[in-house]
Amino acid sequence: MDDLLQEFIAETRETLEAISGEIVAWEAAPADSGRLDAIFRFVHTVKGSCGFLDLPRLARLSHAAEDVLAAVRDGKRTPDTALVNAVLGIVDRIGEIVEAIDSGSPLDDSGEDLLIAALAPDAQPRAQAPTTPHSRAASRSVRLNVDLLDHMMSGMSEMVLARNELARRLRDCDVDPKVEAALERLSLTVADMRDTVTRTRMQKVDALFSALPRMVRDTSAELGKSVDLAIEGADVELDREMIELMRDPLVHIIRNSIDHGIEGPAERRALGKPKNGRLVVSARQSGNQILIEVADDGKGIDVARIVAKAAEKGLHSLPELAAMTDAAKLDLIFAPGLSSRDAVTAISGRGVGMDVVRANIEQIGGRIVLTNDPGRGLRIVIHVPLTLSILSTIIVGVGTQRFALPRQAIEEIVMVRGDAVRIDTIGDAATATVRGRRMPLVSLGQLFDLRDDAPPTLVIVSTREGDYALGVDTVLDTEELVVKPASPAVMATGVYAGKTLPDNGLPMLLLDASGIAAVAGLRFTPVVAASTEVEDVVPGVSALLFDDLDGCRRAIALAVIDRVEPVAVDAIRWSGGAMRLSIGDTIIPLHAVAAFGARTEVAVLRLTDGESEMAYAIAEAIEIVALPAEMAPARGIGPIAGVVSIGGEQVELVDPHALFAGQPVTLASLPVCLLQVDGSGWMETFLKPALEASGYRCVTALAAGETAAVALAMEDTPLRETLAPVVTLRRTRTAEGEDDASIYRYDRPALIAALAARRAM
């Protein structure tokens, strides 16, 4: 509201300086309808703004003047000297009140009734009181033409480039410390001026969002739906011109979300959803872009229906549609003339909309991304570049090419060396491990087909969806660059955020960290918008799907795997009653379900529980999958916990506890076992599959009204209060004394026996 009030004061001041002369000129030429219209528009605008800003005195004065001027326009009154004097008196008083509001000084309302009374047709003529200059606060704002701001921004950009070139040249030679100090002062001044000039064109995105509540209310009421709107990030700043260009696309997207996405109250209740739909509109800054997101909890996009409509309208042939990827089928909603509606309504059905939305966004160097979750909603993210901005960047090199990365998106830069920073391959996916932290790897050289070998340098990039490692050849420099939107064709690739011209004069592209992750197919855990209803969420366990040496397809929990690497078969020997793998000076146990045959090299999974290590020989790693909640326990012996369904195929789940314990799996009954976890993940990863294979149902927290038959806890973990008998596990093989009733955590028979004994107590 303060911003609106200051804008009102600035506009009123600007108009007042010219309006008094217009009134006098109008008195001399009463037939000049142009001047009369200008005066009328002024008092009408003041009256409308006063109602919105809650300024009753100004509203009363401007309303009285508006009525009189309206009568003159209709030919009911003649603008004589008395009427002109009265209107001038009202205008002067409006100016005094505006200045009082700006300065915060009190101003009584004495004489205002007389000013209004002087407007009456039968009012006695009175001499015009001499105008005395009223106290006016010094103006703190000025209205400028946007072209002037653009010219100023362009000059500022050239200044930054010149500063960069000067700094580069001085680095190449011996420089007087006094010159370096002067350059440093210049750099600080340029940086400050850069920020100041950039802010002159910025406006809070709240100006774009302020009309949405009313629009959502009216649209949902028209469609007989109930929609709760949540607005986030309204204080994010965006270029004023960009805000105007975004209005129509945003309105169309929101109306589509309410019309096509969010179901009616009856349908939502039948689906078990809250009666009121939820629509979240948010804005945030990511590097040199503003991301405007519209997410709903409706039914999402029926891709099959979109494909059928495209075939019906002849946009593509049936073979072409059948060959499309899921993403390409989803993009059909942007096809001109395509609508999922069978009937035309006041809101939709004409096939004109999303194609225009995407075209308008691409014209300003932006892009639009859809994330469809059928039955649960649709998320639309609009990536809008800042029209002109100077960004702090890191320059990276791949082959002979150079690219810029926003500095704020970079967490750290590391070299690939030793075990602390290494690159592994799991199936077709590359991963990077940095000091024990594993994350996806995207090689920029491979992504752009510039080179195929492993990158020597990793740039750890942070995005809203998650973190990943970006492989590059070299890190060259840091520069503050002027970034502008690239052409629509370049921006449509999804990996660039804009273009720039560094001090060497060679054009360079700015990389989009989130776009690279999306194009590379990285999958991060999605962030679900908060709901008014709390639901129980069962977290999935990631596992590696692989083909074993016996031809069987199996899976093992990903948390157990330290790395996947090829080893020579010659490094594997049967010795000391077990199969062992020699790696350097280290010998570790190895498990293999079949002979190696004619293989000279075999892939092994390096497994660890945090303290010890072993290997598991496999034929080929396939992919990383999420394990389903249901598992059919295995019958018999061996390191198989059970069977799960993945992609409609039965897959055996390897039991890491059995591998490390070296004992067969036994069967038991089906009681509830409460795992008092310590946060390390060992119980969930090692114990849970082993115990569930023995028939226990393991939980880490009891549901309401549920009781446990037995509980498990580590000896060095504080024991939580429970009514169930507790079996304590220790990390060492031998007990500390005769009174120590704890069980060694890998002593599988003793553990199963202790659980059965405690349950019988």
Side-chain angles (χ1 to χ4, degrees):
M1 184 64 76
D2 289 342
D3 292 340
L4 293 175
L5 182 59
Q6 289 301 320
E7 189 168 344
F8 165 73
I9 291 172
E11 290 181 355
T12 305
R13 276 177 176 164
E14 183 178 324
T15 311
L16 276 171
E17 292 176 356
I19 204 68
S20 296
E22 291 291 322
I23 295 175
V24 174
W26 167 58
E27 179 187 20
D32 191 343
S33 60
R35 283 196 168 91
L36 174 60
D37 289 341
I39 300 166
F40 180 83
R41 281 195 301 270
F42 167 71
V43 295
H44 177 75
T45 300
V46 172
K47 186 193 76 170
S49 299
C50 291
F52 180 73
L53 296 171
D54 191 22
L55 302 171
R57 288 172 60 187
L58 279 176
R60 181 165 170 258
L61 290 168
S62 56
H63 185 71
E66 181 188 37
D67 289 343
V68 171
L69 293 172
V72 174
R73 295 176 77 192
D74 295 339
K76 297 177 181 179
R77 291 195 62 177
T78 302
D80 53 17
T81 302
L83 187 144
V84 171
N85 287 342
V87 172
L88 284 172
I90 293 287
V91 170
D92 287 342
R93 189 61 174 177
I94 289 174
E96 293 174 359
I97 295 175
V98 167
E99 296 304 328
I101 292 172
D102 189 34
S103 63
S105 58
L107 182 67
D108 62 66
D109 58 358
S110 61
E112 291 177 7
D113 290 337
L114 296 176
L115 290 173
I116 294 174
L119 293 169
D122 55 351
Q124 294 296 323
R126 67 184 186 92
Q128 178 69 20
T131 57
T132 57
H134 42 262
S135 174
R136 172 170 175 168
S139 176
R140 304 298 298 171
S141 64
V142 62
R143 298 168 65 85
L144 295 176
N145 188 287
V146 175
D147 292 338
L148 179 60
L149 292 177
D150 286 340
H151 183 72
M152 183 165 50
M153 181 70 80
S154 178
M156 194 67 235
S157 303
E158 293 299 326
M159 188 184 302
V160 171
L161 295 179
R163 188 277 314 271
N164 291 347
E165 183 176 4
L166 177 61
R168 181 175 59 84
R169 291 182 181 277
L170 290 178
R171 284 197 301 267
D172 297 337
C173 59
D174 294 332
V175 182
D176 187 333
K178 293 181 180 179
V179 176
E180 287 186 346
L183 177 62
E184 182 65 23
R185 289 198 305 273
L186 175 63
S187 298
L188 293 175
T189 303
V190 168
D192 183 63
M193 288 299 298
R194 174 202 66 194
D195 294 338
T196 302
V197 172
T198 302
R199 286 197 300 269
T200 59
R201 287 182 56 93
M202 304 303 286
Q203 185 177 11
K204 289 183 179 179
V205 80
D206 182 56
L208 181 63
F209 291 168
S210 59
L212 298 184
R214 176 65 183 272
M215 187 193 71
V216 170
R217 175 187 176 277
D218 292 347
T219 305
S220 57
E222 181 180 352
L223 296 171
K225 299 179 179 180
S226 298
V227 179
D228 294 332
L229 173 66
I231 294 178
E232 302 171 356
D235 56 345
V236 173
E237 290 189 337
L238 182 61
D239 188 285
R240 291 173 182 266
E241 186 176 359
M242 195 68 71
I243 286 178
E244 295 302 321
L245 295 173
M246 282 297 301
R247 289 190 190 277
D248 289 344
L250 184 62
V251 166
H252 191 92
I253 288 172
I254 290 177
R255 289 170 69 88
N256 265 12
S257 296
I258 300 173
D259 185 21
H260 295 276
I262 297 177
E263 310 90 343
E267 185 179 354
R268 291 181 66 84
R269 281 194 293 265
L271 294 171
K273 293 183 178 182
K275 180 185 71 173
N276 291 358
R278 179 175 173 82
L279 185 65
V280 180
V281 181
S282 61
R284 66 183 185 277
Q285 184 170 356
S286 176
N288 192 46
Q289 293 187 324
I290 297 295
L291 275 57
I292 297 177
E293 179 178 314
V294 180
D296 64 65
D297 66 346
K299 55 190 174 187
I301 295 177
D302 187 346
V303 178
R305 182 174 177 80
I306 294 295
V307 171
K309 283 286 186 180
E312 178 186 329
K313 291 187 174 293
L315 300 177
H316 296 278
S317 65
L318 290 176
E320 289 174 343
L321 292 170
M324 283 184 177
T325 63
D326 292 341
K329 291 177 181 177
L330 186 61
D331 277 350
L332 287 172
I333 70 165
F334 296 113
L338 184 66
S339 174
S340 60
R341 291 288 190 199
D342 294 321
V344 175
T345 68
I347 295 179
S348 61
R350 295 176 175 82
V352 178
M354 291 304 290
D355 60 322
V356 177
V357 167
R358 184 163 71 173
N360 289 344
I361 291 173
E362 288 180 348
Q363 282 178 0
I364 57 178
R367 61 188 177 93
I368 183 168
V369 179
L370 306 180
T371 303
N372 186 38
D373 191 356
R376 301 184 64 180
L378 176 69
R379 183 162 64 104
I380 302 176
V381 182
I382 305 172
H383 298 247
V384 182
L386 296 175
T387 304
L388 191 60
S389 180
I390 303 171
L391 193 67
S392 179
T393 63
I394 300 290
I395 310 301
V396 299
V398 178
T400 59
Q401 302 296 318
R402 299 201 312 161
F403 302 94
L405 266 170
R407 194 168 184 174
Q408 64 189 48
I410 299 175
E411 185 176 315
E412 63 175 320
I413 300 172
V414 295
M415 301 292 293
V416 180
R417 57 165 66 101
D419 287 336
V421 181
R422 66 175 189 271
I423 296 175
D424 304 311
T425 302
I426 300 178
D428 295 332
T431 64
T433 303
V434 180
R435 296 184 295 276
R437 176 188 175 195
R438 181 178 296 162
M439 65 193 77
L441 170 66
V442 178
S443 171
L444 204 57
Q446 295 177 8
L447 186 68
F448 293 160
D449 292 329
L450 297 175
R451 57 184 303 169
D452 294 329
D453 53 341
T457 305
L458 301 181
V459 179
I460 310 304
V461 179
S462 296
T463 69
R464 183 173 183 265
E465 291 78 16
D467 300 343
Y468 67 92
L470 184 66
V472 300
D473 290 350
T474 55
V475 175
L476 301 172
D477 202 354
T478 63
E479 283 194 40
E480 290 184 334
L481 299 175
V482 179
V483 181
K484 300 180 181 180
S487 65
V490 173
M491 299 300 287
T493 62
V495 298
Y496 301 113
K499 64 181 180 181
T500 183
L501 187 69
D503 54 15
N504 62 5
L506 298 176
M508 186 165 55
L509 291 169
L510 178 72
L511 298 175
D512 180 355
S514 297
I516 289 175
V519 171
L522 302 186
R523 294 190 296 270
F524 300 101
T525 302
V527 179
V528 182
S531 174
T532 54
E533 296 186 358
V534 179
E535 299 180 357
D536 294 332
V537 178
V538 180
V541 176
S542 296
L544 174 66
L545 187 67
F546 63 91
D547 285 336
D548 217 330
L549 293 174
D550 59 357
C552 235
R553 183 153 290 188
R554 297 189 172 95
I556 188 171
L558 191 62
V560 186
I561 304 173
D562 180 61
R563 72 184 78 174
V564 182
E565 61 184 5
V567 299
V569 172
D570 293 342
I572 301 173
R573 291 283 187 276
W574 182 273
S575 58
M579 191 173 292
R580 306 178 193 276
L581 169 66
S582 298
I583 300 179
D585 296 331
T586 304
I587 299 177
I588 61 175
L590 181 135
H591 180 87
V593 299
F596 303 129
R599 300 172 187 265
T600 58
E601 191 177 75
V602 66
V604 298
L605 309 178
R606 297 279 294 273
L607 311 179
T608 180
D609 66 348
E611 296 181 2
S612 55
E613 185 180 8
M614 71 173 299
Y616 189 112
I618 66 172
E620 183 183 7
I622 305 300
E623 63 175 330
I624 297 173
V625 297
L627 293 178
E630 299 295 329
M631 179 187 73
R635 296 184 178 276
I637 60 175
I640 302 299
V643 180
V644 296
S645 177
I646 299 177
E649 180 183 3
Q650 293 187 16
V651 176
E652 292 183 345
L653 183 62
V654 177
D655 181 359
H657 190 277
L659 291 175
F660 277 80
Q663 299 294 334
V665 178
T666 59
L667 298 178
S669 58
L670 299 172
V672 174
C673 180
L674 175 62
L675 303 180
Q676 298 204 4
V677 296
D678 58 1
S680 66
W682 186 86
M683 282 192 173
E684 300 95 310
T685 303
F686 286 79
L687 271 185
K688 185 177 179 181
L691 298 180
E692 289 187 344
S694 300
Y696 287 91
R697 184 167 65 86
C698 297
V699 298
T700 57
L702 296 174
E706 186 178 31
T707 58
V710 67
L712 274 172
M714 297 299 296
E715 62 179 354
D716 53 0
T717 302
L719 186 65
R720 297 195 301 271
E721 184 177 351
T722 177
L723 297 177
V726 178
V727 174
T728 305
L729 301 180
R730 65 175 182 269
R731 303 181 188 275
T732 58
R733 289 183 177 273
T734 58
E736 293 186 357
E738 296 181 358
D739 296 334
D740 189 350
S742 61
I743 306 296
Y744 174 50
R745 61 176 179 166
Y746 285 126
D747 191 346
R748 194 180 185 112
L751 174 59
I752 300 300
L755 291 174
R758 296 296 171 88
R759 285 172 45 214
M761 293 176 60

